[in-house]
């Protein structure tokens, strides 16, 4: 009964405690991921949607999942750095044990439950969830997830089943959580991050394009997204340390959206410009996301953020984005199998896939409300660590 009360209280206070703008941005990102995966499994490119929708709108809706994940990296860098500054005042004053425990409480229960379910589905031979023996073993896959390198495993053996494949980005996130606090202790001065930032601006574009030039999964290596994460970290330091004039934050808002739209929508222009070949398209996108976060934080800190009723569904998706990300492929895979067995015609494609989007949202929300968040709060209360 006590756990239920805490959960309801938390749900009721999410709007006031959280940055609405960031949650909406995360909602956009997780929606982009789901639409990409629906496109892959249902083939929107071969449907009437390809003919009915303008080319740029079709691309925007169904081919930006990867871009959405990269924006998540920038958001993570911003939120983690900001949480350290709020809790401990300075990056070098971080409480290592507390930080790691909070991350474990939020991430590990859901991840372990997912691995248990995936293992059962693999061992019972459920189609769409069996890891081919020619690629790797179940134990090797589990080990790669728990040691934050499933992305490297896929670079070596190729794509794993879809529910395993999405964990590549989680491996990068967890590696960031593991090493960032150690970097904070080592650097001492916050301005030292500028040096790391400049290095990452060179390393990451190279790692995205030149490290594994003949491997389509090569761009998922850890070094490929250091610039995206670093943009978020540096933006948090600026946001929490510098009082920016209003005109600067407004400029950040419009220029941020301009860069996001450029990379998300005008892909052919970006490609022809040569930016993709040098890996700079994701760098520009990360800069755009960082500028948006700068404006969102200023809006949140000044108490001027508004509750946009028409965007509330996106905000809620952002709140449950971790749970939706880890569970949506169950809905899509089983949904695709049912769609094929029913032999539905093209007229059912849009309403059917829309129902899968709604179902994915509700699965993520239920998992958040009744499992991952209650366990997260329980673990945080269970062990109070010294600051």
């Amino acid at each position: 009964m006590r756990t239920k009360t805490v959960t309801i209280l938390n749900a009721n206070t999410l709007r006031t405690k959280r940055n609405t703008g960031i949650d909406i941005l995360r909602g956009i990102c997780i929606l982009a991921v789901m639409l990409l995966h629906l496109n892959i499994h249902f083939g929107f490119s071969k449907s009437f949607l390809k003919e009915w929708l303008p080319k740029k709108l079709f691309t925007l809706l169904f081919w930006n999942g990867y871009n959405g994940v990269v924006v998540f990296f920038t958001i993570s860098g911003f939120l983690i750095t900001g949480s350290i500054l709020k809790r401990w005042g300075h990056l070098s004053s971080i409480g290592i044990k507390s930080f790691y425990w909070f991350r474990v409480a939020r991430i590990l229960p859901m991840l372990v439950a997912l691995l248990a379910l995936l293992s059962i589905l693999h061992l019972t031979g459920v189609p769409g969830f069996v890891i081919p023996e020619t690629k790797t073993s179940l134990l090797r896959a589990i080990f790669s997830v728990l040691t934050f390198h499933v992305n490297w495993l896929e670079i070596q053996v190729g794509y794993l089943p879809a529910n395993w494949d999405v964990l590549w980005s989680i491996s990068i996130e967890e590696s960031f959580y593991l090493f960032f606090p150690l970097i904070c202790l080592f650097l001492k001065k916050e301005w030292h991050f500028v040096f790391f930032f400049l290095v990452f601006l060179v390393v990451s574009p190279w790692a995205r394009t030149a490290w594994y030039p003949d491997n389509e999964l090569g761009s998922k290596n850890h070094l490929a997204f250091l610039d995206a994460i670093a943009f978020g970290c540096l933006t948090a330091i600026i946001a929490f340390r510098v009082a920016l004039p209003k005109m600067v934050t407004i400029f950040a808002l419009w220029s941020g959206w301009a860069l996001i739209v450029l990379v998300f929508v005008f892909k052919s222009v970006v490609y022809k410009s040569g930016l993709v070949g040098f890996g700079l398209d994701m760098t520009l996108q990360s800069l755009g996301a960082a500028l948006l976060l700068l404006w969102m934080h200023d809006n949140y800190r000044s108490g001027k953020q508004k509750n946009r009723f028409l965007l509330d569904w996106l905000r809620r998706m952002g709140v449950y984005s971790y749970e939706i990300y880890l569970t949506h492929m169950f809905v899509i895979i089983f949904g695709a199998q049912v769609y094929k067995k029913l032999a539905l015609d093209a007229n059912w494609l849009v309403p059917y896939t829309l129902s899968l989007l709604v179902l994915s949202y509700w699965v993520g929300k239920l998992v958040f409300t009744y499992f991952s968040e209650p366990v997260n709060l329980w673990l945080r209360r269970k062990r109070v660590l010294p600051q």
Side-chain angles (χ1 to χ4, degrees):
M1 190 68 173
R2 182 182 178 185
T3 302
K4 183 177 181 181
T5 302
V6 171
T7 302
I8 294 175
L9 176 62
N10 180 267
N12 289 335
T13 56
L14 282 175
R15 186 188 298 269
T16 57
K17 288 187 176 182
R18 300 176 67 101
N19 187 313
T20 300
I22 294 179
D23 280 335
I24 291 174
L25 185 59
R26 293 207 294 191
I28 293 173
C29 292
I30 192 62
L31 180 61
V33 170
M34 288 192 290
L35 288 175
L36 171 64
H37 291 157
L38 283 170
N39 185 18
I40 291 172
H41 287 269
F42 286 87
F44 293 146
S45 297
K46 300 177 181 178
S47 73
F48 63 91
L49 288 175
K50 181 71 172 180
E51 300 177 359
W52 287 11
L53 296 177
K55 182 178 180 181
K56 284 186 174 15
L57 179 58
F58 185 88
T59 300
L60 174 64
L61 290 175
F62 302 116
W63 289 111
N64 277 303
Y66 175 80
N67 301 66
V69 172
V70 177
V71 173
F72 270 126
F73 291 138
T74 305
I75 294 174
S76 292
F78 180 86
L79 292 177
I80 291 301
T81 305
S83 67
I84 293 172
L85 292 174
K86 285 189 292 185
R87 183 176 294 274
W88 289 288
H90 194 281
L91 294 179
S92 62
S93 302
I94 183 174
I96 291 287
K97 291 182 179 180
S98 295
F99 177 86
Y100 284 147
W101 184 253
F102 293 151
R103 290 293 87 204
V104 166
R106 178 68 182 101
I107 295 172
L108 198 58
M110 180 66 194
L111 193 60
V112 171
L114 176 71
L115 290 176
L117 179 56
L118 289 178
S119 298
I120 293 172
L121 294 173
H122 168 85
L123 294 172
T124 54
V126 177
F129 297 91
V130 178
I131 301 173
E133 294 181 359
T134 55
K135 290 190 174 183
T136 191
S137 66
L138 174 63
L139 290 179
R140 177 71 179 87
I142 293 174
F143 177 75
S144 69
V145 173
L146 295 178
T147 53
F148 321 145
H149 73 281
V150 69
N151 52 333
W152 293 100
L153 177 62
E154 286 200 310
I155 290 174
Q156 297 170 7
V157 306
Y159 284 106
L160 297 178
N163 274 91
W164 292 89
D165 174 59
V166 298
L167 296 174
W168 72 269
S169 64
I170 302 299
S171 291
I172 294 175
E173 292 265 7
E174 291 167 335
S175 298
F176 166 58
Y177 301 150
L178 177 64
F179 290 106
F180 185 65
L182 303 178
I183 295 175
C184 289
L185 292 178
F186 173 75
L187 289 182
K188 302 298 183 182
K189 302 287 186 180
E190 288 173 356
W191 65 266
H192 291 166
F193 277 89
V194 176
F195 170 76
F196 271 81
F197 174 72
L198 294 175
V199 171
F200 294 160
L201 285 183
V202 176
V203 171
S204 291
W206 171 82
R208 281 194 290 268
T209 57
W211 198 355
Y212 296 95
D214 300 320
N215 189 330
E216 66 174 322
L217 295 173
S219 62
K220 292 183 177 182
N221 67 80
H222 283 75
L223 298 183
F225 304 100
L226 291 177
D227 58 345
I229 296 173
F231 265 119
C233 297
L234 189 62
T235 301
I237 294 174
I238 295 172
F240 280 82
R241 296 299 191 220
V242 181
L244 297 173
K246 189 63 178 178
M247 289 300 297
V248 173
T249 58
I250 293 176
F251 173 79
L253 170 66
W254 289 105
S255 57
W257 275 122
L259 290 174
I260 292 291
V261 170
L262 174 65
V263 178
F264 270 64
V265 180
F266 299 96
K267 292 183 179 294
S268 60
V269 174
V270 175
Y271 182 82
K272 291 177 182 178
S273 69
L275 292 171
V276 176
F278 289 102
L280 295 176
D281 54 328
M282 292 297 101
T283 302
L284 283 181
Q285 176 187 287
S286 300
L287 172 59
L291 291 170
L292 288 180
L293 291 170
L294 195 63
W295 176 83
M296 290 172 180
H297 176 79
D298 180 74
N299 215 35
Y300 173 75
R301 181 171 56 182
S302 63
K304 295 180 180 179
Q305 70 171 4
K306 299 178 181 179
N307 297 323
R308 309 285 184 181
F309 175 76
L310 294 178
L311 298 178
D312 194 58
W313 61 281
L314 272 177
R315 180 191 66 83
R316 292 176 180 274
M317 288 184 73
V319 172
Y320 313 128
S321 57
Y322 177 59
E323 287 73 18
I324 293 174
Y325 186 77
L326 292 187
T327 60
H328 76 280
M329 286 311 305
F330 291 107
V331 177
I332 292 176
I333 291 174
F334 285 125
Q337 293 173 355
V338 171
Y339 187 83
K340 184 177 181 180
K341 288 182 179 180
L342 294 176
L344 298 175
D345 60 37
N347 293 326
W348 284 96
L349 183 64
V350 172
Y352 187 82
T353 52
L354 182 60
S355 69
L356 294 183
L357 279 177
V358 175
L359 182 58
S360 297
Y361 164 80
W362 278 102
V363 170
K365 178 179 179 179
L366 291 173
V367 171
F368 174 92
T369 304
Y370 296 105
F371 175 67
S372 61
E373 185 64 3
V375 174
N376 173 32
L377 296 174
W378 178 78
L379 287 173
R380 290 180 177 230
R381 293 195 306 268
K382 189 72 175 177
R383 184 178 181 185
V384 180
L385 297 169
Q387 302 300 308

